Amino acid sequence: MYDYYLGGKDNYEIDREAAERIIEQSPDILDSARANREFLLRAVRAVVAGGVRQIIDIGTGIPTSPNTHEVAREIAPETRVVYIDNDPIVAAHADAKLTNTPGTHFALADARRTADILAHPAVRDGIDFSEPVALLLVAVLHFVSDAEDPAGIIATLTEQMVPGSHLVISHGTLDFHGPDQVADEVYRKSTAELSLRRHAEIVPFFDGFTMLDPGLVRAPLWRPDGPPPDAGALATVGIYGGVGRKS
């Protein structure tokens, strides 16, 4: 569905039908998806410019160029990237589009099963936790319920990370839009339910990290490439983005 929102071609009829139901009710989802993708690219550039040379990208989804490793290697060609997703279809696409590049790996694993991620050969072989790592949880945590303990997931995944490591999070929110019953219904029938959170609920996910300026903000406001978007352009975006650095 995310690939469809971005105008990609790697999606299926059932994805398009579900996505169109949400778009019909909440057309703002398209702007939020694109803002999220643009935030990802800017955040990757920022952490690599800050010295990180290895990235764990959880919930990568269907590969959409430019991918994380492509953006990172524009700055530092030696950057290693491990992509992680729990969807076998994503794994099939990753084999074709991601892992044929040296220094990239893919793990079929679920963010809610942190032990599986940390023990996976792709992570063990691709990541040296004695050096700084960037952990990307972009548009992932709003598919993790409170009962599944998103803060605990982050704490486990970042425990081994040394100073200079970074945590990148984007997260859907209801701070600017009302509850969307159609979206909730559609996602309940897909691979994960939605748990949209308020700003004050997302900030604690960065415990142990120092937020980079400008903090946790609506995604288009996080270090935009051009002039900051005005209120009209922001009105349709319901997603926060932020980056923290471990010290």
Side-chain angles (χ1 to χ4, degrees):
M1 290 167 64
Y2 183 54
D3 178 79
Y4 182 72
Y5 295 149
L6 294 173
K9 298 179 180 178
D10 293 313
N11 48 72
Y12 298 86
E13 183 177 359
I14 191 170
D15 304 320
R16 294 188 287 273
E17 290 174 353
E20 283 295 341
R21 287 191 63 198
I22 294 177
I23 293 169
E24 182 179 357
Q25 180 71 20
S26 301
D28 292 355
I29 190 70
L30 296 175
D31 289 334
S32 289
R34 291 163 187 159
N36 180 73
R37 182 69 186 179
E38 291 163 3
F39 163 75
L40 165 66
L41 304 182
R42 297 195 304 275
V44 168
R45 293 187 188 106
V47 300
V48 176
V52 169
R53 296 294 180 266
Q54 42 185 1
I55 298 172
I56 302 174
D57 184 351
I58 297 182
T60 181
I62 296 287
T64 302
S65 189
N67 295 296
T68 297
H69 72 277
E70 294 170 331
V71 174
R73 290 174 184 173
E74 291 174 357
I75 300 171
E78 70 274 23
T79 303
R80 303 188 306 279
V81 178
V82 177
Y83 294 98
I84 297 173
D85 204 283
N86 66 346
D87 188 339
I89 295 175
V90 172
H93 284 270
D95 285 342
K97 295 187 176 183
L98 299 178
T99 56
N100 58 357
T101 303
T104 62
H105 305 267
F106 180 85
L108 182 62
D110 193 312
R112 292 162 291 195
R113 297 181 175 87
T114 52
D116 292 348
I117 290 175
L118 296 174
H120 198 285
V123 175
R124 293 203 315 266
D125 296 343
I127 300 296
D128 177 1
F129 283 99
S130 70
E131 298 291 335
V133 180
L135 174 65
L136 276 54
L137 291 164
V138 175
V140 170
L141 295 175
H142 50 237
F143 294 115
V144 179
S145 70
D146 291 342
E148 291 166 324
D149 190 16
I153 289 170
I154 295 169
T156 301
L157 291 173
T158 60
E159 183 179 9
Q160 299 181 56
M161 292 184 180
V162 299
S165 295
H166 288 69
L167 174 62
V168 178
I169 293 174
S170 68
H171 198 298
T173 183
L174 290 176
D175 281 352
F176 311 103
H177 303 85
D180 187 338
Q181 294 180 344
V182 172
D184 285 345
E185 177 189 348
V186 170
Y187 278 107
R188 273 199 302 271
K189 295 178 180 178
S190 66
T191 54
E193 296 185 27
L194 277 174
S195 295
L196 301 177
R197 296 181 173 92
R198 305 286 182 179
H199 188 276
E201 297 174 286
I202 303 168
V203 170
F205 292 157
F206 288 95
D207 284 354
F209 289 78
T210 300
M211 297 291 293
L212 302 188
D213 289 336
L216 183 68
V217 295
R218 291 170 90 166
L221 294 176
W222 200 88
R223 302 190 179 185
D225 292 327
D230 59 24
L234 285 174
T236 56
V237 176
I239 194 160
Y240 286 116
V243 179
R245 186 180 190 276
K246 194 169 188 178
S247 57

